[in-house]
Amino acid sequence: MPQYSTTKRKFLILLLLSVFAGVTGEAQIVTRVQPKWWFGESVAANLNYFRGTTQVLNDNLTVPTAFHKGQGVRPYASLLTEYRPNKVFGGMLNIAFDNRGGSFDGVIAPCNCPATLSTNISYITVEPSLRIAPFSSAFYIFAGPTLNFNISRSFTYTQLRQPDTKSDWSNIQSTTISGQAGAGIDIPISARTSATQMTLSPFASFQTDFGHEPRSVETWAFYTIRAGIALKVGTGKRSIPPAAKAAADAPVVIAPIPVAVAPIIIMEKDVQFSVRAPKIVPLNRQVKETFPLRNSVFFDMGSADIPKRYVLLSPTAAISFKEEQLQEAQPANLSRGRSSRQLAVYYNILNIIGDRMRDNSQASIVLTGASDKNPAEGKLMAENTKQYLVSSFGIDPSRITTEGRDKPVIASEQPGATRELALLKEGDRRVDITSISPELTTQVGGSGSPFLRPVQIMAMQEDPLDSHVILTADGASELLNSWSVDVTDERGIVQHYGPYTRDQESIPGKTILGSNVQGNYKIVMAGQTKSGHSITKESSVSLMRTDDPKQQGLRYSILFDFDRSRTIASYEKFLTDVVTPLISENGTVIIHGHTDVIGEEKYNLNLSRDRATGAQQILERALTAAGKRGVKFETYGFGKDASMAPFENNLPEERFYNRTVIIDIIPGK
């Protein structure tokens, strides 16, 4: 039994040796002719993998959403020469047709339309390599540089509801230098003693993406795993076989088989960087806004009196008050900015209610006051609100019902809540105004909506959202300590922005342009991963300033209660019947969702995206049903980003108004 085990071990050792040594074991019996020069050809399949970012395809086409990863299988063919002066070292030269084409992973354009991008980019490649047969056998490895000369650069871009675009890339580098490494095995198919030797050589290699970025702009690069077979022919001196007995008596020396230990590579997730930039940068836009009235008056902590920030009129002044006064283009006493314009309307909420009730003698309202653990104080807050409407506007007291509660019907503070309770309590200390009289309300929220009829106002919108350059670094908040961008113009002047920690940031287009009317800019994102590595991403944009005071937009807003996005469904009738008919074919709809500052940043970001996406889906269905085409959507969720929030977050009414989705409609040109 021990002798059997020893024999078995010897057999396994000999078997492994034959695998690694290839035909070398046979050479102990008959020496094979070994030519020094070999010539032939090879064919292979390129498994191409794309990484990086591309969005500006050429001077005529910048796609709305950046492409990042991709892959494809394409052909490779070469003429080859090998020089083998001995059994170990030698050289190789391939002159090849090398196709690095493929398809990028599909993306969703801002219109919620699938988009694809494929390319058929190819090269004539010169590949000199060092060839090493480490075991003096048929197995060999090779490595060396590659010199690539571009010969084709076409691409095809498709987007749902848009015509396909077939064109050529711009900024293609005519020559690139990269590298490769691989391995193969020569399998003889000729007789050992034949002067002309032929081998079939299966091989596999890796073409690095280091240095192989096909364009001088952006960060698109590719690497390739190649698998193929080569036919090689060489001529040498005829071999004379040694005596069979001498071969049989020759000792067999079994050399130790080296074991290669592959290094362990830890791959980090990649940050996907993209830029959305307007080609035309509007500095401002006149907006006709349908401004929703939040149906609440918020009271200061510890006081049941109506706060002084609300506009309270004397009976004499109330006689001449009309809601239409608030629709003027821009009251002269207001500072510039959206929130001051809209809050000036909101702080007249009691005067608007008084004017509407005065004009509609049958309308009635219910005032529900809420004060934490003190319904009696809530009732007093409601009574004080009622008293103002009665004394200043002369409303019959019987038309106003008052109630007191410890919590509003829809409260911000939920049972068990422990965080940011002070802000939540401020939001719950209020008087809510509800009515079933259609003269006071509009059913934008469906049947039983508590919202009051909105006010139509005109406003001048500074730095509209479509004038911003939106920078998106997906995964940055999770993977990076921070990131920043350098914006370089054609003269080499660099503007630095950052550092940032969120996944999405924006820069007003006019800030980048400065005093320039137009410009082309390279944008380089640099960041440091939490493991200490540095990463860079690159993109480019073209901007042009416009001052068109005649362009007028429309704006609608949807309000949400605290921590809720599902209520978007209740606005479907409003979005379908009121908003959709105002969207023109080939127009642009910009939808942006926001939250207040309460809660975790990532949660609020997702919540705002859910709200905005829900509104877009309703509008898209309605547009399709109406047969309208060519409408472009740009949809964003900004969460509690203070720089993008439509209002401040200092007062409860500002925080409530920031729980919103805003819909900007820009007519097509």
Side-chain angles (χ1 to χ4, degrees):
M1 193 70 176
Q3 184 177 0
Y4 173 78
S5 299
T6 301
T7 303
K8 184 177 181 181
R9 283 196 297 270
K10 288 182 178 179
F11 174 78
L12 290 175
I13 292 173
L14 289 173
L15 178 62
L16 289 172
L17 179 64
S18 67
V19 172
F20 280 90
V23 297
T24 305
E26 297 178 8
Q28 297 175 31
I29 299 176
V30 179
T31 302
R32 182 176 292 279
V33 173
Q34 297 293 335
K36 291 186 177 181
W37 287 96
W38 295 79
F39 303 90
E41 58 187 23
S42 69
V43 293
N46 279 343
L47 282 73
N48 303 316
Y49 296 89
F50 297 167
R51 68 167 185 82
T53 296
T54 186
Q55 188 171 11
V56 181
L57 307 190
N58 57 34
D59 294 338
N60 299 318
L61 179 59
T62 299
V63 297
T65 302
F67 290 86
H68 300 290
K69 298 180 180 180
Q71 61 186 26
V73 180
R74 294 293 189 274
Y76 167 93
S78 78
L79 299 176
L80 64 88
T81 300
E82 288 186 9
Y83 177 64
R84 307 182 200 167
N86 55 59
K87 292 183 178 181
V88 177
F89 294 99
M92 301 170 55
L93 176 66
N94 282 266
I95 299 176
F97 168 79
D98 186 9
N99 192 308
R100 297 295 187 95
S103 299
F104 288 83
D105 292 350
V107 299
I108 301 298
C111 61
N112 202 26
C113 307
T116 65
L117 176 63
S118 61
T119 180
N120 202 38
I121 192 166
S122 58
Y123 299 84
I124 293 296
T125 301
V126 179
E127 301 171 341
S129 301
L130 176 65
R131 182 187 191 277
I132 301 176
F135 315 122
S136 299
S137 68
F139 173 76
Y140 64 93
I141 59 176
F142 59 94
T146 64
L147 186 61
N148 312 286
F149 302 90
N150 180 257
I151 58 174
S152 68
R153 57 186 67 185
S154 64
F155 69 83
T156 300
Y157 174 76
T158 68
Q159 182 179 322
L160 186 64
R161 297 191 289 272
Q162 299 289 338
D164 294 353
T165 300
K166 296 182 179 180
S167 186
D168 287 342
W169 297 97
S170 64
N171 303 105
I172 289 291
Q173 301 192 83
S174 59
T175 305
T176 60
I177 299 176
S178 186
Q180 68 164 344
I185 185 168
D186 292 323
I187 302 174
I189 56 176
S190 301
R192 290 179 175 275
T193 58
S194 173
T196 299
Q197 290 290 307
M198 298 180 64
T199 63
L200 284 176
S201 300
F203 67 93
S205 63
F206 174 78
Q207 279 65 39
T208 178
D209 58 358
F210 179 78
H212 210 157
E213 296 180 347
R215 307 178 69 199
S216 59
V217 298
E218 300 186 315
T219 59
W220 173 33
F222 36 64
Y223 64 91
T224 296
I225 298 173
R226 181 177 297 154
I229 192 167
L231 175 64
K232 306 173 186 178
V233 179
T235 302
K237 293 182 180 180
R238 182 181 297 274
S239 172
I240 301 176
K245 185 177 184 305
D249 294 339
V252 177
V253 179
I254 301 177
I257 301 171
V259 179
V261 180
I264 299 175
I265 301 175
I266 300 175
M267 300 296 292
E268 290 188 303
K269 293 181 181 178
D270 194 18
V271 174
Q272 303 301 321
F273 180 64
S274 62
V275 179
R276 196 282 287 164
K279 291 185 177 180
I280 303 297
V281 178
L283 300 186
N284 51 61
R285 178 181 294 113
Q286 192 177 42
V287 174
K288 182 179 180 181
E289 179 171 1
T290 301
F291 179 67
L293 280 178
R294 179 73 207 187
N295 63 317
S296 302
V297 176
F298 295 89
F299 282 70
D300 295 333
M301 301 299 290
S303 174
D305 296 331
I306 300 173
K308 294 182 179 180
R309 60 184 180 271
Y310 290 88
V311 179
L312 302 178
L313 303 176
S314 66
T316 302
I319 292 174
S320 60
F321 176 85
K322 289 293 181 182
E323 180 180 332
E324 291 75 15
Q325 297 170 3
L326 302 173
Q327 301 176 11
E328 298 173 2
Q330 186 76 17
N333 63 335
L334 291 181
S335 61
R336 302 175 72 183
R338 176 175 191 266
S339 61
S340 59
R341 175 74 177 101
Q342 279 68 16
L343 282 177
V345 175
Y346 165 73
Y347 284 139
N348 274 278
I349 182 172
L350 294 178
N351 301 324
I352 294 171
I353 292 296
D355 184 39
R356 291 180 182 178
M357 294 187 72
R358 188 171 53 190
D359 291 343
N360 301 277
S361 59
Q362 300 304 311
S364 61
I365 60 173
V366 176
L367 302 177
T368 304
S371 177
D372 187 32
K373 300 178 182 178
N374 194 344
E377 187 180 35
K379 174 80 169 179
L380 178 58
M381 291 156 53
E383 285 292 335
N384 289 341
T385 305
K386 174 180 178 179
Q387 181 59 36
Y388 172 75
L389 294 172
V390 171
S391 61
S392 291
F393 284 86
I395 306 301
D396 186 341
S398 64
R399 298 168 60 193
I400 304 175
T401 303
T402 59
E403 298 175 354
R405 298 172 56 93
D406 61 348
K407 293 288 183 184
V409 175
I410 301 178
S412 297
E413 183 184 0
Q414 300 299 311
T418 58
R419 303 182 61 182
E420 300 176 288
L421 293 181
L423 296 181
L424 295 173
K425 290 180 184 297
E426 281 186 9
D428 285 347
R429 185 176 176 81
R430 65 182 193 254
V431 170
D432 290 335
I433 307 168
T434 56
S435 176
I436 60 173
S437 302
E439 299 87 359
L440 304 183
T441 63
T442 181
Q443 302 301 326
V444 298
S447 178
S449 167
F451 295 118
L452 303 174
R453 191 173 75 239
V455 177
Q456 301 288 334
I457 60 176
M458 297 297 297
M460 187 61 69
Q461 188 179 0
E462 300 280 341
D463 292 333
L465 184 58
D466 56 307
S467 74
H468 285 229
V469 175
I470 307 294
L471 309 170
T472 301
D474 282 338
S477 59
E478 176 185 357
L479 303 174
L480 302 182
N481 289 323
S482 65
W483 58 281
S484 59
V485 293
D486 285 338
V487 181
T488 307
D489 67 12
E490 296 163 300
R491 296 171 296 172
I493 298 175
V494 180
Q495 303 175 53
H496 183 80
Y497 298 94
Y500 304 123
T501 57
R502 295 186 296 249
D503 286 8
Q504 189 176 79
E505 298 290 345
S506 73
I507 307 171
K510 75 173 186 180
T511 301
I512 296 176
L513 280 170
S515 59
N516 299 324
V517 176
Q518 62 181 16
N520 299 313
Y521 300 88
K522 181 173 74 172
I523 298 181
V524 177
M525 183 275 276
Q528 185 178 55
T529 68
K530 293 181 179 179
S531 60
H533 296 94
S534 296
I535 64 168
T536 58
K537 304 284 183 176
E538 186 176 317
S539 189
S540 59
V541 298
S542 296
L543 303 175
M544 178 180 293
R545 181 198 308 272
T546 181
D547 297 305
D548 184 6
K550 296 180 181 178
Q551 188 185 46
Q552 185 181 94
L554 300 175
R555 168 168 283 189
Y556 292 87
S557 298
I558 297 173
L559 300 179
F560 293 83
D561 290 311
F562 179 74
D563 196 26
R564 298 194 181 186
S565 64
R566 294 185 300 274
T567 53
I568 188 67
S570 66
Y571 287 95
E572 184 158 4
K573 181 176 176 60
F574 170 66
L575 293 173
T576 301
D577 297 346
V578 177
V579 178
T580 300
L582 299 173
I583 303 174
S584 62
E585 289 195 346
N586 302 313
T588 299
V589 180
I590 302 176
I591 304 175
H592 38 116
H594 305 268
T595 69
D596 59 20
V597 292
I598 301 173
E600 296 291 337
E601 182 171 326
K602 185 174 182 180
Y603 178 85
N604 282 348
L605 183 64
N606 291 333
L607 180 63
S608 67
R609 287 175 176 170
D610 289 344
R611 291 170 173 174
T613 301
Q616 177 184 336
Q617 291 170 346
I618 292 174
L619 289 174
E620 284 186 320
R621 288 195 298 267
L623 287 170
T624 300
K628 291 187 177 182
R629 301 180 178 179
V631 177
K632 183 174 70 173
F633 282 87
E634 296 182 12
T635 302
Y636 306 99
F638 291 107
K640 63 178 184 179
D641 185 349
S643 65
M644 301 301 295
F647 292 83
E648 301 293 336
N649 282 283
N650 300 320
L651 296 167
E653 56 266 27
E654 293 174 327
R655 295 192 289 272
F656 271 62
Y657 267 116
N658 277 336
R659 302 168 188 167
T660 184
V661 165
I662 297 173
I663 302 166
D664 286 319
I665 302 172
I666 304 170
K669 293 186 177 180

